Amino acid sequence: IRMIVNGTGNPVVTFGSNGHLYVSVWNASANAFGSPYEIDADSNVFMSDAEGPRMASEGDYLVITYQISGDWANGARSVHSTDGGLSWSEPNAMVTGATVDHFMPCVAIDGNGNPFAGVKVGNGPEEIYEGILRSADGGNDWLPAVNASSAAAGDAVCECCPSQPFFAEGRYYDLVRNNNGNIRDFWLMSSEDGDVWDAALDIDPL
């Protein structure tokens, strides 16, 4: 289960099982959550405690990112709401025509109110890097992934650990688990524009 807060201060939760993802908004006047709304009902949504759907919010703009189970190359999807979670967009493909796998889109919102997401990109554990997908139009379209982990030492990022993107003080950040000599460290990576990720700090070198 995930939870964020919308522009009126009411919690919005996502939950589900067996390929079904639901979202529900707190109704203060009824003192209860509203009826669950199923996201992308025609797809088999990948559900997992560590690797399942993610949410982010800024005021009444909300975004959910998730993965279609089995479609690891092209199955990253997003939906968004502009009314605090009462209605949702149709699913938007985050990756199209991929030649490598894209797995686990973990989402945040930048200083322009647009979503960006960290995804694992690559075809094997020795090749996985942390990709950042950005949208310039509120999540309707997504730009190709850029390599956010190139400045981090090591063989590859962990292929099964979710990342934690966030935006602060005018910079894009992403926290990811890196693999260096078969020792997994947490690295904090950052970028001024979300395109060039030129800074990386090993935050637990021991």
Side-chain angles (χ1 to χ4, degrees):
I1 194 168
R2 314 287 180 200
M3 186 185 81
I4 49 86
V5 175
N6 64 19
T8 56
N10 290 320
V12 181
V13 298
T14 58
F15 55 93
S17 66
N18 299 323
H20 297 281
L21 172 63
Y22 302 92
V23 61
S24 181
V25 182
W26 180 257
N27 184 330
S29 61
N31 199 35
F33 280 98
S35 298
Y37 173 82
E38 186 168 5
I39 300 294
D40 203 350
D42 296 328
S43 296
N44 182 19
V45 178
F46 181 74
M47 302 297 294
S48 166
D49 178 56
E51 302 165 352
R54 290 295 196 271
M55 304 178 72
S57 66
E58 184 176 281
D60 274 338
Y61 175 78
L62 319 178
V63 58
I64 302 173
T65 54
Y66 57 96
Q67 181 84 28
I68 304 300
S69 185
D71 188 2
W72 310 122
N74 295 292
R77 298 286 185 272
S78 70
V79 294
H80 57 271
S81 171
T82 58
D83 58 10
L86 299 178
S87 63
W88 293 88
S89 71
E90 290 297 312
N92 296 300
M94 300 177 71
V95 179
T96 57
T99 57
V100 294
D101 287 350
H102 291 68
F103 185 48
M104 289 189 304
C106 300
V107 70
I109 298 173
D110 68 17
N112 296 316
N114 287 313
F116 67 103
V119 293
K120 302 299 180 286
V121 182
N123 282 323
E126 297 295 324
E127 305 171 359
I128 302 292
Y129 65 87
E130 178 73 352
I132 291 292
L133 298 166
R134 290 191 304 117
S135 173
D137 60 3
N140 291 304
D141 298 287
W142 291 84
L143 300 170
V146 298
N147 189 342
S149 56
S150 59
D155 306 318
V157 298
C158 176
E159 73 277 8
C160 60
C161 295
S163 51
Q164 181 61 63
F166 60 96
F167 189 87
E169 302 298 328
R171 286 186 72 88
Y172 294 81
Y173 290 91
D174 193 21
L175 185 64
V176 69
R177 203 171 185 189
N178 206 40
N179 191 3
N180 191 359
N182 208 30
I183 298 174
R184 289 178 174 176
D185 273 348
F186 284 102
W187 282 73
L188 179 65
M189 300 164 300
S190 74
S191 168
E192 184 175 356
D193 60 5
D195 255 345
V196 178
W197 291 75
D198 53 0
L201 174 69
D202 186 352
I203 65 171
D204 63 342
L206 299 180

